[in-house]
Amino acid sequence: MTQLKELPLTTLQFYATAPYACGYLPGKVARSQVATPSHLINADLYGELVNAGFRRSGLYTYRPYCDECRACTATRILAKQFIPTRSQRRAVKKHHQLQVRILNLDYQEDHYQLYKSYQNARHADGEMGHDEQDQYMQFLLQSRVNSRIVEFRDGPKDSNPGQLRMVSMIDILEQGISSVYTFFDTTDTSNSFGVYSILWQIDRALELKLPYLYLGYYIKNSEKMSYKARFQPMEGLIDDHWQPILAP
């Protein structure tokens, strides 16, 4: 294990995983750097780690640590300076009537069923496409920071809640919101649920007077990850400094 000397996190240690197949760039081999022990990573420490390019998957805190590739770039949107594009404004208009509830982390069967449907539609070729209930709970319902479920439904009919359309998992940090994961109804191919979720999170950051929305890793040559640069202005952690990433 090696100490990450550039961070004032003297209680943590960091190790590199064994190589594994990259899930975003075909033919590439990836590695991760993992922060341990996980039980010491509270909200304050995790905020520092996020600023250093780390992400959270359940209780597992990591960042890319590949031997020969630097394609993954940690990103954040500058909430106060954000200017939506015309297509993003259309997404707001299309979905603004969705009913939103902010919930504590807790298992709900319809959330899990929507997650499975989303994974089968979008990631059936990867490991996540076969997640069972316990894997789902470990991935999204375990946290030692201030995490919330954001639920988006159609408007209620009579006394019944409307159809579940989207679920976003977010962490609320001192310096911003970190977008953990979003899954949504893929049966309506005309929807813009994913875009709307990001726009909603930007607005939430503004309401909480937080400067950033951390959006995970940007990979220019990955169709699954390159869309993030459409949200401007965006910064990426490049050579240990946050620098602008321009729209393609």
Side-chain angles (χ1 to χ4, degrees), residues 3 7 47 74 106 148 158 180 198 203 213 217-218 220 238:
Q3 203 74 16
L7 290 176
D106 192 20
R148 294 290 185 272
D158 300 325
V180 178
I198 293 172
D203 283 345
L213 171 63
Y217 300 114
Y218 165 73
K220 183 178 181 180
I238 303 169

Side-chain angles (χ1 to χ4, degrees), residues 217-228:
Y217 300 114
Y218 165 73
I219 304 175
K220 183 178 181 180
N221 295 322
S222 169
E223 184 177 350
K224 294 180 180 179
M225 306 293 273
S226 61
Y227 72 91
K228 298 177 182 183

Side-chain angles (χ1 to χ4, degrees), residues 159-224:
S159 59
N160 297 318
Q163 181 177 345
L164 181 66
R165 292 296 189 179
M166 179 166 60
V167 174
S168 293
M169 306 291 187
I170 63 173
D171 294 335
I172 302 174
L173 309 174
E174 183 177 346
Q175 76 275 25
I177 290 175
S178 178
S179 185
V180 178
Y181 200 71
T182 292
F183 51 95
F184 51 81
D185 181 358
T186 60
T187 59
D188 180 1
T189 57
S190 68
N191 75 62
S192 303
F193 290 135
V195 172
Y196 184 69
S197 170
I198 293 172
L199 299 174
W200 184 92
Q201 291 176 53
I202 293 171
D203 283 345
R204 186 63 178 171
L206 291 173
E207 289 175 12
L208 297 174
K209 295 181 171 54
L210 300 173
Y212 303 115
L213 171 63
Y214 293 86
L215 205 55
Y217 300 114
Y218 165 73
I219 304 175
K220 183 178 181 180
N221 295 322
S222 169
E223 184 177 350
K224 294 180 180 179

Side-chain angles (χ1 to χ4, degrees), residues 98-104 106-112 114 148-154 161-170 183 196-197 200:
L98 288 174
Q99 306 296 307
V100 182
R101 289 201 306 164
I102 302 174
L103 310 170
N104 292 327
D106 192 20
Y107 179 81
Q108 296 194 39
E109 180 64 22
D110 59 346
H111 290 184
Y112 174 57
L114 182 63
R148 294 290 185 272
I149 297 171
V150 186
E151 179 190 82
F152 299 82
R153 293 182 180 271
D154 288 337
Q163 181 177 345
L164 181 66
R165 292 296 189 179
M166 179 166 60
V167 174
S168 293
M169 306 291 187
I170 63 173
F183 51 95
Y196 184 69
S197 170
W200 184 92

Side-chain angles (χ1 to χ4, degrees), residues 33-46:
Q33 186 178 52
V34 181
T36 61
S38 62
H39 69 273
L40 294 182
I41 301 177
N42 56 22
D44 291 338
L45 284 179
Y46 185 63

